Amino acid sequence: MATAWHVAMTHPREEELAAEHLARQGFGVYLPRHARTRRHARKVERVAVPLFPRYVFVAFDPESAANR
């Protein structure tokens, strides 16, 4: 079977940590982000935030993942 993309749900605001752990284990990971303006204490900055909060996309072959 070919590699397919799956969606994995993460803990709130821990998408980047989950993506890092999955990538370290050899999975293909996609975490789309978009720029957002954050204002705090008279300071304005542009930050990259997840496009889909609490979700990351993971590429793997279900047949070979079952044998891990």
Side-chain angles (χ1 to χ4, degrees):
M1 183 173 199
T3 300
W5 285 96
H6 302 273
V7 177
M9 188 175 197
T10 68
H11 288 282
R13 293 182 298 279
E14 294 197 9
E15 303 87 0
E16 292 166 10
L17 180 63
E20 180 183 315
H21 285 275
L22 288 165
R24 193 177 322 135
Q25 295 177 44
F27 293 101
V29 180
Y30 178 58
L31 178 58
R33 298 180 187 134
H34 67 97
R36 180 182 224 165
T37 303
R38 181 169 60 183
R39 293 177 180 89
H40 180 69
R42 289 184 253 163
K43 185 170 139 184
V44 178
E45 59 185 355
R46 300 281 287 172
V47 294
V49 295
L51 186 59
F52 304 106
R54 295 193 67 182
Y55 295 97
V56 295
F57 296 92
V58 185
F60 67 92
D61 179 8
E63 295 294 324
S64 66
N67 299 328
R68 282 186 170 207

